[in-house]
Amino acid sequence: MKINKGLSTYAGMLALAGSLLAAGNAQAQSEATECIAPAKPGGGYDLTCRLAANGLEKTGMIDKPMAVSYMPGGIGAVAYNHVNGVRDDDPNLIVAASTGAAVNLALGKFGQYDADDVRWLGALGVDYGAIVVNADAPWQSLDELMEDLKANPGDIAFGAGGTVGSQDWMKAALTAKAADLSPRKLKYVSFEGGGEALAALLGDHIQVFTGDLSELKSQLESGKIRVLASLSEERMGGPYADIPTAAEQGYDVQWPIWRGYYMGPNVSDEAYQKWMDRMSQLAQSKEFAELRKERGLFPMSRFGPEFNDYVLEQVDQFESLAKEVGLKQ
């Protein structure tokens, strides 16, 4: 059977074009993505990268596993400088960040770079600070604690897993400010971590622990502690439903510990929008909601310019507080 040579050539060209198009689509769907955790494996930044990596893979939004790399140093400063100086326009790179990063930026701990030197992408989860006392403490409400604190600030020791200037200290300082008490007068004891600080509370070595809601679940069930306030916008559900917010008790204190990401300053608008859409879609999926809950986080969905403005506003607030107490000129 004779085949028209022109038709054969045309069919071959169509087949070649089709295969090239398919290869192009496969390449687009299989982009090599990466998340940098600015710390050693196993910590909060590792959790944040895994949250994105596992969520995107589980929901089928990426068909090639996201690489998670570790870049410890300077509590996030090394990674921040690396992204600004080396990978400032990488469209497939995101970097884990948190409220702690905003605190360190406010204190000038990231060297020559400021908070607006990256593109803040979004947050996929959040925890909240809490004001915690022993179950047999004399205070039944935040108001009772604040009244005693104003009268005798030197008699009430706050404690948490961070030094003066850390985000755990910031929680205590903002609580003092809400009671019209200078953070300079606050008696604060620093511990290696939240677990050590909680043990000190249970042993009556400190009177107030500024912890995080997610780490208190087992202690709530044991009845050994009393949470006077959550530092959230509204009451949390589940085991935390009976805990009033500081705001509803008349004290304007909020401390969200968000888990989010940033990208390089010169990433294209197209790449930034693509990641913003991807994260927004992920946050709305049922599979991701389960993943977030397993990691002890509450929902938070802020993306793109809204999140960027939110972080910059936080940094300004922390910087003002740091100057007030002499941590920054």
Side-chain angles (χ1 to χ4, degrees), residues 47-48 50-51 54-55 58 124-127 214-215 217 240 285-299:
L47 178 149
T48 306
R50 299 290 174 188
L51 192 65
N54 295 343
K58 190 172 183 179
L124 286 174
V126 66
D127 196 359
S214 66
E215 65 186 330
K217 186 177 179 181
Y240 315 101
S285 72
K286 291 181 180 179
E287 297 95 333
F288 179 74
E290 285 300 315
L291 206 63
R292 183 182 57 218
K293 186 178 179 181
E294 288 170 8
R295 284 154 178 76
L297 295 174
F298 303 100

XYZ file of all heavy atoms in Angstrom, residues 47-48 50-51 54-55 58 124-127 214-215 217 240 285-299:
245
model
N 10.166 21.135 61.058
C 8.730 20.856 61.046
C 8.021 21.704 59.990
O 7.146 21.221 59.269
C 8.132 21.125 62.426
C 6.616 20.930 62.618
C 6.316 20.497 64.053
C 5.825 22.203 62.312
N 8.418 22.974 59.900
C 7.771 23.890 58.960
C 8.018 23.478 57.513
O 7.104 23.493 56.679
C 8.263 25.330 59.197
O 8.061 25.676 60.567
C 7.519 26.321 58.328
N 8.808 20.413 56.502
C 8.112 19.140 56.300
C 6.610 19.339 56.128
O 5.948 18.580 55.418
C 8.362 18.204 57.492
C 9.813 17.838 57.711
C 10.350 16.927 56.651
N 11.790 16.713 56.811
C 12.555 16.082 55.938
N 12.029 15.617 54.815
N 13.836 15.926 56.160
N 6.085 20.340 56.786
C 4.668 20.653 56.660
C 4.325 20.960 55.209
O 3.335 20.463 54.659
C 4.328 21.857 57.545
C 2.846 22.188 57.774
C 2.158 21.077 58.552
C 2.726 23.514 58.534
N 5.460 17.584 52.859
C 4.531 16.461 52.974
C 3.137 16.825 52.486
O 2.449 16.016 51.857
C 4.459 15.985 54.430
C 5.782 15.417 54.917
O 6.651 15.097 54.116
N 5.943 15.311 56.219
N 2.710 18.052 52.785
C 1.383 18.488 52.371
C 1.247 18.559 50.863
O 0.267 18.075 50.285
N 1.375 14.944 49.468
C 0.199 14.154 49.831
C -1.033 14.561 49.032
O -1.886 13.734 48.704
C -0.071 14.299 51.334
C -1.118 13.345 51.887
C -1.193 13.417 53.394
C -2.196 12.404 53.941
N -2.252 12.446 55.436
N 1.187 28.588 56.918
C 0.287 27.443 56.800
C -0.241 26.942 58.135
O -1.099 26.069 58.178
C 1.008 26.288 56.092
C 1.229 26.439 54.588
C 2.083 25.299 54.060
C -0.110 26.484 53.849
N 0.296 27.467 59.215
C -0.152 27.020 60.530
C 0.335 27.975 61.596
O 1.197 28.821 61.354
N -0.246 27.855 62.787
C 0.103 28.771 63.864
C -0.123 28.091 65.216
O -0.978 27.215 65.353
C -0.754 30.070 63.753
C -2.220 29.781 63.986
C -0.254 31.152 64.689
N 0.681 28.474 66.172
C 0.444 28.128 67.568
C 0.242 29.456 68.284
O 0.469 30.522 67.693
C 1.643 27.369 68.137
C 1.322 26.639 69.435
O 0.174 26.725 69.914
O 2.228 25.971 69.976
N -0.036 24.532 72.264
C 0.097 23.163 71.770
C 0.902 22.271 72.701
O 0.705 21.061 72.730
C 0.725 23.155 70.377
O 2.055 23.617 70.421
N 1.826 22.868 73.484
C 2.655 22.053 74.369
C 1.992 21.803 75.721
O 2.555 21.128 76.580
C 4.022 22.718 74.572
C 3.975 24.043 75.300
C 5.340 24.739 75.362
O 6.375 24.046 75.382
O 5.354 25.978 75.387
N -1.267 20.531 76.188
C -2.411 19.630 76.151
C -2.350 18.551 77.235
O -3.311 18.337 77.982
C -2.516 18.988 74.775
C -3.767 18.137 74.603
C -3.862 17.577 73.189
C -5.101 16.713 73.030
N -5.192 16.133 71.664
N -8.978 23.321 74.444
C -8.659 24.700 74.829
C -9.899 25.593 74.863
O -9.789 26.801 75.083
C -7.648 25.290 73.841
C -6.502 24.360 73.513
C -6.491 23.626 72.327
C -5.434 24.190 74.401
C -5.453 22.754 72.024
C -4.388 23.319 74.104
C -4.400 22.609 72.919
O -3.381 21.744 72.635
N -7.212 22.190 51.772
C -7.459 20.765 51.566
C -7.659 20.027 52.888
O -7.058 20.361 53.907
C -6.290 20.135 50.798
O -5.147 20.031 51.623
N -8.508 19.002 52.864
C -8.781 18.199 54.056
C -7.560 17.398 54.474
O -7.294 17.221 55.665
C -9.950 17.251 53.783
C -11.293 17.946 53.623
C -12.406 16.953 53.369
C -13.748 17.661 53.217
N -14.846 16.687 52.936
N -6.798 16.911 53.480
C -5.593 16.136 53.792
C -4.597 16.978 54.586
O -3.998 16.513 55.553
C -4.917 15.643 52.506
C -5.747 14.683 51.684
C -6.527 15.388 50.585
O -6.840 16.589 50.744
O -6.804 14.735 49.569
N -4.453 18.247 54.163
C -3.509 19.106 54.866
C -4.010 19.458 56.260
O -3.216 19.579 57.202
C -3.254 20.396 54.078
C -2.299 21.315 54.779
C -0.943 21.033 54.810
C -2.760 22.444 55.444
C -0.062 21.858 55.487
C -1.889 23.262 56.119
C -0.526 22.979 56.148
N -5.303 19.628 56.438
C -5.865 19.945 57.754
C -5.500 18.863 58.765
O -5.160 19.166 59.927
C -7.380 20.093 57.656
N -5.532 17.611 58.343
C -5.154 16.498 59.222
C -3.673 16.548 59.534
O -3.247 16.319 60.674
C -5.503 15.166 58.558
C -6.986 14.843 58.568
C -7.554 14.749 59.973
O -6.915 14.127 60.832
O -8.635 15.326 60.217
N -2.873 16.850 58.527
C -1.425 16.942 58.683
C -1.056 18.034 59.687
O -0.199 17.845 60.559
C -0.799 17.238 57.315
C 0.639 16.810 57.068
C 0.774 15.297 57.144
C 1.069 17.290 55.678
N -1.697 19.172 59.557
C -1.447 20.310 60.455
C -1.848 19.967 61.891
O -1.117 20.280 62.842
C -2.245 21.515 59.949
C -2.030 22.798 60.753
C -2.898 23.905 60.193
N -4.304 23.499 60.195
C -5.171 23.803 59.238
N -4.805 24.495 58.201
N -6.440 23.400 59.315
N -2.989 19.318 62.046
C -3.475 18.945 63.377
C -2.523 17.974 64.047
O -2.252 18.068 65.253
C -4.868 18.330 63.258
C -5.530 18.033 64.591
C -6.939 17.475 64.385
C -7.604 17.155 65.720
N -8.970 16.598 65.522
N -1.984 17.015 63.276
C -1.036 16.037 63.814
C 0.205 16.719 64.378
O 0.847 16.190 65.292
C -0.621 15.056 62.714
C -1.698 14.059 62.314
C -1.313 13.288 61.064
O -0.156 13.412 60.607
O -2.178 12.560 60.533
N 0.539 17.859 63.857
C 1.730 18.586 64.291
C 1.426 19.634 65.363
O 2.263 20.470 65.685
C 2.419 19.220 63.078
C 3.189 18.190 62.272
C 3.338 18.570 60.818
N 4.131 17.584 60.093
C 3.674 16.385 59.715
N 2.438 16.039 60.000
N 4.450 15.546 59.065
N 0.209 19.597 65.893
C -0.151 20.469 67.000
C -0.331 21.920 66.631
O -0.188 22.811 67.472
N -0.669 22.180 65.364
C -0.837 23.555 64.911
C -2.306 23.876 64.650
O -3.110 23.000 64.364
C -0.039 23.792 63.627
C 1.481 23.686 63.751
C 2.127 23.786 62.381
C 2.040 24.766 64.674
N -2.617 25.155 64.742
C -3.963 25.652 64.461
C -3.975 26.276 63.066
O -2.923 26.625 62.527
C -4.372 26.684 65.510
C -4.324 26.169 66.921
C -3.251 26.472 67.746
C -5.338 25.370 67.424
C -3.191 26.000 69.052
C -5.292 24.891 68.732
C -4.214 25.200 69.542
N -5.155 26.449 62.466
C -5.212 27.017 61.119
C -4.735 28.474 61.070
O -5.020 29.263 61.956
C -6.705 26.937 60.766
C -7.270 25.896 61.668
C -6.481 26.004 62.937
